[in-house]
Amino acid sequence: MIDPRVASGLRDIPPSAMIPRERMLETLRKTFASFGFVPIETPHIERMEVLTGKGAGSDEVLRQIFEVTNKGGTPGELALRFDLTVPLARFVARHVDQLGTPFKRYAIGSVFRGERPAKGRFREFTQCDFDTVGTESVVADAETAQVIHDSLAAIGLDGFTLCLNNRKILDGLLDSFGVIDRKSAVLRALDKLGKIGREGVLSELTATESTGATLSDDHARALLDFVEQGKGSGETVLTMAEDRLSSHATAAEGIANLRQVLELLDAAGVPQNRVTIDLGLARGLDYYTGIVFETTVDGWERFGSISSGGRYDDLASLYIKRRLPGVGASIGLDRLIALMEEAKRLPTSATTVPVLVAQFPGVNPGTSVRLAARLRAAGIGAEVYPEPISIGKQMGYGSNRGHKLAVIVGPDEDANQVFNLRMLATRHEDKGLAWSTLEDSIRSALGILEQHEAHEPTPPGPTG
C-alpha cells in the first residue's frame, strides 16, 4: 500500500482548523473591501523570467523557487509563484490601461517556497495581500498600516505591534558611510539581526567575500548602534535619526514620511501603543524603496512576522516603461493560525452550522428535512442527521462536531406538530415547542448561548 503521508513542509488541513480559517478569510476580505480594495487572481504558475527578473526577489527567495516542468516542456521555463506581489506587478503592467490608477487590489492564495520547514513555516502557504498601485502618496502608506491594524483587530487578535521604518533612512546612513553600492548585501545581513544577534550580523557585515557587504568594522558597529538605538516610540526615535542624519536629503525624506504616517494613523484612531518605529527593519526583498512594515504578536515574537510589506516604486519597471509606484502588505494566514493554535486561541469546531436536526427512528424523514429547510431559509444553518439511529448517538455526534442545539421530533411530537430543543453543551431540553415558533425559539436559544460565551473567561492568548 502507498504511504498516505504528505511531503515534508506540506500539510492537510482538517475541518477543525479549516472552519476558523475560512472565517478569518471572510473577515479579511470584508476588511480589505471596506477600504476600497478589489479582488483579482493571478496564476499559480508564472514564467520563470517573470519571477526572477532583476529586483523581483532576493537571492535567498529566488533559490527557493519551485520549478515546474510538464512532459515535453522546456526546463527552467515555468515556476510556482513565491509571493503575490511580483505577479501583481506583471498583472498591472499588462492591464494598467484598462484598470486606471490608483489601482487598489487584494488577492488571497497559495504561494510556494522551498525553504526548510519549521513551526509556522511551510512550503505551501496562504498569503493575504492588498496593494495600492499608481501613487506615491503618504496617505496610501498610512492606509496600508491602518489596514494591517484593522484586519488583525477584526480577526480578534488582542496584543500585537506594528513596526515601521523607511528604507530611505538606512539608505542615507549607508550613503554617509560611502557604501550605498553595497546596500542590498548590508540590508539582507541586517534583516537577520533578530535571528543571529549583533555579533552574527557584525560578522556578516565585515565579511570580505561571503556576503558582499564588506563594511569596515567602525562602519558596521556604527550601523548596528544606530539601529539598536532606533527602536521605540515614534517621536523619540525620529528625533534621534534627525540629529544623526539631518544633512542628508534622502534620509530626511524617510523621516518626514514616517512622521506623517504616524500622524495619519493617529487621525484614523489606531492606538499609539500598537505602533513603533524600528530603524533596523529592512525587509529582505530588494524591491522595497520606502516605508516598510512588520507585525509581531506580543509575547510570541518567536513566530516571526505575521504581516509585512512596504513601498516598491520601481518593481513594475521590470515589465513596463511606465513608472507605477506601489505600496502594500501581506498577512501570513498560516503562521497566524499556527500561533493561535499554540496559544489555544483558535476556536475549535468541526461544523459550519449551529443546529443539528435529529432523525428520530419511526418518524418520516420528511419532517426533519422540512424543519431544517425552514431554518436555512431564515438564515440559520442546520444539518440533518442522515440515519435514524439512536438519539443518544446522534446527540453525541452533535456534541463532538460542535453543534450548539439539537431539534428532536419523536412520533408523539410529530403527531402534535411540536419539537424538543436541546442545548448540547448542558443537555438542558425544552419540550413541546410549537413548530410555528421554530425560528424564534432557535434564535432566542442561540442568543442566550452567545451571551454566556461572551462572559466566559478568555483562555491564555497571544498576548501572554
Side-chain angles (χ1 to χ4, degrees):
M1 296 179 66
I2 298 174
D3 189 335
R5 74 177 185 273
V6 297
S8 175
L10 306 175
R11 79 275 193 222
D12 295 321
I13 306 177
S16 58
M18 198 66 191
I19 290 169
R21 177 191 182 94
E22 287 295 307
R23 289 172 180 158
M24 286 187 190
L25 287 172
E26 182 181 1
T27 298
L28 292 175
R29 290 189 182 97
K30 287 180 179 179
T31 304
F32 297 161
S34 73
F35 282 82
F37 293 88
V38 296
I40 69 166
E41 178 62 275
T42 59
H44 286 67
I45 299 174
E46 294 275 2
R47 291 183 298 117
M48 182 72 80
E49 65 176 336
V50 168
L51 300 180
T52 58
K54 180 176 174 56
S58 69
D59 292 339
E60 182 179 358
V61 169
L62 299 182
R63 284 195 298 269
Q64 296 172 0
I65 285 180
F66 279 99
E67 185 177 328
V68 176
T69 304
N70 61 313
K71 285 189 176 181
T74 303
E77 182 180 23
L78 302 174
L80 293 172
R81 62 191 184 190
F82 63 82
D83 72 3
L84 299 177
T85 303
V86 173
L88 167 67
R90 177 199 56 75
F91 176 91
V92 173
R94 185 177 185 188
H95 300 289
V96 65
D97 291 337
Q98 294 79 37
L99 297 171
T101 57
F103 174 61
K104 300 173 68 171
R105 84 80 162 97
Y106 75 84
I108 296 175
S110 292
V111 297
F112 305 84
R113 295 184 188 177
E115 63 182 351
R116 180 177 297 175
K119 187 178 290 294
R121 287 184 176 271
F122 308 99
R123 288 179 171 173
E124 177 185 1
F125 55 96
T126 300
Q127 284 190 335
C128 308
D129 281 25
F130 58 94
D131 296 79
T132 302
V133 177
T135 178
E136 298 179 68
S137 170
V138 68
V139 172
D141 291 349
E143 184 176 80
T144 303
Q146 186 185 351
V147 174
I148 293 173
H149 172 271
D150 288 6
S151 296
L152 297 178
I155 286 173
L157 209 56
D158 294 327
F160 57 89
T161 299
L162 174 57
C163 292
L164 309 179
N165 192 21
N166 193 300
R167 278 277 188 94
K168 292 181 179 180
I169 301 174
L170 289 171
D171 287 354
L173 184 64
L174 295 179
D175 191 38
S176 73
F177 293 161
V179 296
I180 191 66
D181 58 315
R182 303 167 209 169
K183 179 177 75 170
S184 293
V186 170
L187 295 185
R188 279 196 291 274
L190 197 58
D191 200 43
K192 302 175 184 177
L193 187 59
K195 298 178 182 177
I196 63 176
R198 178 185 173 104
E199 292 305 313
V201 173
L202 184 64
S203 177
E204 290 206 7
L205 289 174
T206 55
T208 55
E209 296 180 0
S210 60
T211 66
T214 60
L215 297 188
S216 69
D217 188 71
D218 286 345
H219 282 158
R221 291 182 184 279
L223 172 62
L224 289 171
D225 288 344
F226 179 81
V227 301
E228 287 176 350
Q229 294 168 21
K231 295 181 180 181
S233 62
E235 193 52 44
T236 301
V237 171
L238 295 179
T239 299
M240 183 276 293
E242 278 181 328
D243 292 342
R244 174 66 177 80
L245 297 165
S246 59
S247 61
H248 199 287
T250 299
E253 289 179 12
I255 293 167
N257 171 267
L258 290 182
R259 185 169 276 125
Q260 287 181 280
V261 167
L262 292 174
E263 291 173 355
L264 291 169
L265 290 177
D266 186 57
V270 175
Q272 293 182 1
N273 63 354
R274 283 186 174 171
V275 182
T276 189
I277 300 295
D278 182 355
L279 297 182
L281 177 60
R283 302 293 303 138
L285 295 175
D286 291 341
Y287 52 65
Y288 291 124
T289 58
I291 194 169
V292 286
F293 314 93
E294 196 163 88
T295 309
T296 55
V297 178
D298 300 343
W300 297 81
E301 289 82 2
R302 68 180 183 276
F303 270 81
S305 175
I306 57 170
S307 178
S308 57
R311 174 163 286 281
Y312 46 90
D313 286 344
D314 302 316
L315 183 60
S317 63
L318 291 169
Y319 317 110
I320 191 173
K321 292 181 178 179
R322 178 176 171 182
R323 188 167 184 273
L324 292 171
V327 62
S330 176
I331 294 175
L333 183 71
D334 295 284
R335 188 175 296 183
L336 178 58
I337 287 177
L339 184 156
M340 295 183 75
E341 280 184 318
E342 184 158 324
K344 298 185 175 15
R345 284 296 301 273
L346 194 69
T348 56
S349 176
T351 180
T352 55
V353 297
V355 181
L356 175 68
V357 181
Q359 188 179 159
F360 207 98
V363 174
N364 188 321
T367 296
S368 299
V369 169
R370 189 176 301 110
L371 294 178
R374 279 179 52 182
L375 290 174
R376 295 187 203 108
I380 303 169
E383 175 184 352
V384 177
Y385 195 86
E387 299 175 4
I389 61 174
S390 75
I391 291 299
K393 290 184 178 179
Q394 293 186 52
M395 297 302 99
Y397 169 90
S399 296
N400 291 335
R401 291 299 176 104
H403 294 285
K404 298 178 182 298
L405 302 171
V407 173
I408 305 170
V409 179
D412 292 340
E413 288 80 15
D414 190 33
N416 294 303
Q417 295 193 352
V418 296
F419 67 96
N420 300 335
L421 182 61
R422 179 178 294 190
M423 293 188 177
L424 289 170
T426 64
R427 298 187 179 182
H428 172 78
E429 189 168 318
D430 292 323
K431 299 185 177 182
L433 304 174
W435 286 4
S436 61
T437 69
L438 176 68
E439 296 86 348
D440 289 340
S441 297
I442 296 294
R443 285 197 188 95
S444 176
L446 290 175
I448 293 171
L449 290 174
E450 287 176 3
Q451 289 180 359
H452 176 72
E453 291 170 358
H455 288 88
E456 287 185 340
T458 302
T463 55

